[in-house]
């Protein structure tokens, strides 16, 4: 893994849940998660509900869904964003 070669402390993967190529991004996240697990390398997944399949990228349900996918695919840390509009 490139991260080990360069001496990284962790790996980060960005996924747009709801994008046209969501399946490719999720497959990559799963593969990276497996490699990180084997090497003991922490994995940060930046999981954002974005794309034509998402009605509101800042609503609670899509944000929670994206976070859950990241966790279920093996990420150690999930980053996402939820806005509360007034």
């Amino acid at each position: 893994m490139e991260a080990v070669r360069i001496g990284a402390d962790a790996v980060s993967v960005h996924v747009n849940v709801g994008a046209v190529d969501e399946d490719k991004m999720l497959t990559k996240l799963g593969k990276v998660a497996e490699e990180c697990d084997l090497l003991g390398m922490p994995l940060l997944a930046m999981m954002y509900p974005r794309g034509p399949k998402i009605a509101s990228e800042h609503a609670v349900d899509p944000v929670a869904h994206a976070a859950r996918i990241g966790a279920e695919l093996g990420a150690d840390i999930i980053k996402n964003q939820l806005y509360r509009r007034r």
Side-chain angles (χ1 to χ4, degrees), residues 17-73:
V17 176
V20 175
D21 57 347
E22 168 188 353
D23 60 329
K24 292 177 182 74
M25 288 187 271
L26 293 175
T27 298
K28 180 180 177 180
L29 175 59
K31 289 178 181 177
V32 172
E34 287 177 1
E35 287 187 60
C36 285
D37 189 49
L38 289 172
L39 297 169
M41 175 86 59
L43 173 61
L44 164 70
M46 296 182 292
M47 306 294 295
Y48 300 107
R50 293 183 181 153
K53 300 176 189 175
I54 304 298
S56 176
E57 65 185 46
H58 301 299
V60 173
D61 288 343
V63 170
H65 178 69
R68 181 173 178 163
I69 290 171
E72 288 182 356
L73 285 176

Side-chain angles (χ1 to χ4, degrees), residues 11-17 29 43-50 57 62-71 75-83:
V11 174
S12 176
V13 175
H14 180 115
V15 175
N16 288 328
V17 176
L29 175 59
L43 173 61
L44 164 70
M46 296 182 292
M47 306 294 295
Y48 300 107
R50 293 183 181 153
E57 65 185 46
V63 170
H65 178 69
R68 181 173 178 163
I69 290 171
D76 299 296
I77 303 165
I78 307 293
K79 179 186 182 296
N80 62 17
Q81 200 159 357
L82 176 66
Y83 292 116

